[in-house]
Amino acid sequence: MSLVPLRVMVEDVWDEIFLELPRDTPVAEVKRVALERTKVPRNPSEFVLKFRGAELVDESLSLADAGLVPNGALMLLSRRRRPVR
């Protein structure tokens, strides 16, 4: 089973993390792992994951089925906009 290297920018902390996950990993797991590694204590369902500007809507898809490529850059953004103070 080959691993897919990914870069994930977590907007809440403006931190980029690097992951290597099996190609059959569900997209939802990327969100969970990224939030865990950046110590963001929020529910993954409060976030959207984007690849090449488009939201990965079906989070049950595997990384391979979602079309993610090695070293692909992902953005993990809050689902709801928060007011600027």
Side-chain angles (χ1 to χ4, degrees), residues 32-46:
R32 189 195 66 73
V33 171
L35 291 171
E36 181 180 284
R37 292 217 185 146
T38 55
K39 299 181 181 6
V40 175
R42 293 176 54 199
N43 188 321
S45 67
E46 297 176 23

Side-chain angles (χ1 to χ4, degrees), residues 1 3-4 8 15 17 23 30 37 41 49 52 54 56 64 67:
M1 179 177 299
L3 297 177
V4 179
V8 182
D15 196 6
I17 62 166
R23 295 177 52 77
V30 174
R37 292 217 185 146
L49 192 62
R52 296 182 175 162
L56 298 172

Side-chain angles (χ1 to χ4, degrees), residues 23-25 27 60-68:
R23 295 177 52 77
D24 63 350
T25 301
V27 170
S60 66
L61 289 177
S62 69
L63 301 179
D65 292 339
L68 298 180

